[in-house]
Amino acid sequence: MNLIDETIAAIGPLDEAAMRDARDHQARLTKPPGSLGVLEEVSVRLAGLAGRCPPPLPEPAAVAVFAADHGVHAQGVTPWPQEVTAQMVANFLAGGAVVNAFAAQVGARVSVVDVGVAAELDAAPGLLRRKIAPGTADMTAGPAMTAAQARRAAETGIEVARELAAEGARCLITGDMGIANTTASAALIAAFTGLPPERVTGRGTGIDDATHAHKVEVVRAALARHGLPDGSAPPLEVLAAVGGLEHAALAGFVLGAAALRVPVVLDGVIAGAAALAAAALCPDALGGCVAGHRSAEPGHAAAVEALGLRPLVDLELRLGEGTGALLALPLVQGSVRVLHEVATFDSAGVSEKDAGHP
């Protein structure tokens, strides 16, 4: 059995008994039932993931920023030069990016995983050198990846999830970096949801109207080139056709975390596209996924709706890196802390509402 199949075999559904216990416990806490809204359901799902109530606190957290370049950049879908990917990786490693600032605020550790940057990166603390190829091929001319590359990228994501969990992480955060990766994300989201390119293709780093119209047509051409959407196409084949090395790695990252029963807070559109691939490979992998935020990218709204996830934050973010997920992390942690620390009506000696009165 290969690593992907072995990991999928280890993923099970959420524990219904633990979820019942969590709902019952929420109902006994010193607050009106349901008054914490979406956070109550987050805590219930994480109890189901852990198989017990209360579940472990999802801390400390670790961010894995998967970095890779994209051959579709040659189609002029962004004004940013491809070299920015490697330059931003250096910025992450130096601690100078927004992801570093937000991670420091919540005590999360940042690792950068080079799965496909089109430059040789020097060894540095925090860098995991796992390069599979120096970027993808142009998805409008042929498959972005070979089948072997897509599989190896997914396996790398599984391995990184295992490593971070073994080092003590109790919550994993998805991060990404790759110039032109919103183009590949739009193609993946269209391929997995069946939505038309114009519905799921956004402005990425902030392109003008003409470039955006061109980007939509590039996504449309890539999908047509590979006969997508095609409901019968295996998920790894879809990833290989129009995805990025970081998308495949993030899909593996989600699978790896699910097999370990470790929660994952998803970031924006790149993570959403990868989560669609992970869900296509194993629907139960979504059990421990929390949508950290709703990106300004239209494809992200489509992805989280298709995944059935409720974003916790909506601030019109479109940076990536893991930033939106990190902002949501205290909400996820707070939802579980309630189960650990808030008194019940009985233990606190607080009277409950009289069931006989409105």
Side-chain angles (χ1 to χ4, degrees), residues 311-350:
L312 298 184
V313 175
D314 189 348
L315 298 173
E316 300 179 10
L317 306 176
R318 53 181 177 83
L319 176 58
E321 303 179 6
T323 51
L326 282 165
L327 288 175
L329 178 63
L331 299 177
V332 178
Q333 293 171 333
S335 76
V336 175
R337 194 167 289 278
V338 165
L339 293 176
H340 281 265
E341 298 181 9
V342 176
T344 63
F345 284 102
D346 287 343
S347 69
V350 175

Side-chain angles (χ1 to χ4, degrees), residues 74-99:
Q75 294 298 319
V77 292
T78 173
W80 293 83
Q82 195 168 65
E83 296 77 40
V84 170
T85 301
Q87 292 164 356
M88 281 303 299
V89 166
N91 193 25
F92 300 147
L93 296 171
V98 178
V99 66

Side-chain angles (χ1 to χ4, degrees), residues 12 20 26 31 109 112 116 155 166-167 181 204 238 272 313 323 339:
R20 282 195 302 272
Q26 284 280 3
K31 60 179 181 58
R109 171 185 162 202
V112 182
E155 291 170 344
E167 292 166 3
N181 64 6
V238 177
V313 175
T323 51
L339 293 176

Side-chain angles (χ1 to χ4, degrees), residues 6-7 37 49 88 93 109 118 194 230 238 267 286:
E6 170 193 313
T7 302
L49 181 70
M88 281 303 299
L93 296 171
R109 171 185 162 202
D230 176 358
V238 177
D267 195 43
L286 290 180

Side-chain angles (χ1 to χ4, degrees), residues 38 290-295 300-301 304-305 308-314 328 331:
V38 173
V290 178
H293 77 118
R294 185 191 308 278
S295 165
H300 188 232
V304 293
E305 181 177 352
L309 298 177
R310 170 75 178 267
L312 298 184
V313 175
D314 189 348
L331 299 177

Side-chain angles (χ1 to χ4, degrees), residues 130-278:
R130 309 293 169 83
K131 196 189 305 286
I132 293 153
T136 54
D138 183 351
M139 64 182 178
T140 65
M145 293 175 273
T146 66
Q149 287 171 340
R151 180 169 290 278
R152 183 65 198 126
E155 291 170 344
T156 298
I158 293 169
E159 291 163 357
V160 171
R162 288 181 174 184
E163 290 168 20
L164 295 179
E167 292 166 3
R170 294 296 170 262
C171 184
L172 299 179
I173 310 284
T174 69
D176 63 86
M177 181 62 217
I179 297 300
N181 64 6
T182 59
T183 303
S185 297
L188 284 172
I189 293 166
F192 282 116
T193 66
L195 292 170
E198 60 272 18
R199 282 276 307 278
V200 299
T201 306
R203 294 180 181 266
T205 49
I207 54 179
D208 59 22
D209 288 347
T211 306
H212 179 245
H214 173 62
K215 183 177 176 181
V216 170
E217 292 311 310
V218 168
V219 171
R220 195 186 315 280
L223 293 169
R225 173 71 175 75
H226 300 286
L228 297 171
D230 176 358
S232 65
L236 282 173
E237 285 189 14
V238 177
L239 277 168
V242 298
L245 288 155
E246 76 271 49
H247 292 101
L250 283 164
F253 190 64
V254 169
L255 294 174
L260 296 168
R261 313 296 276 193
V262 173
V264 177
V265 185
L266 301 172
D267 195 43
V269 67
I270 286 81
L276 285 169

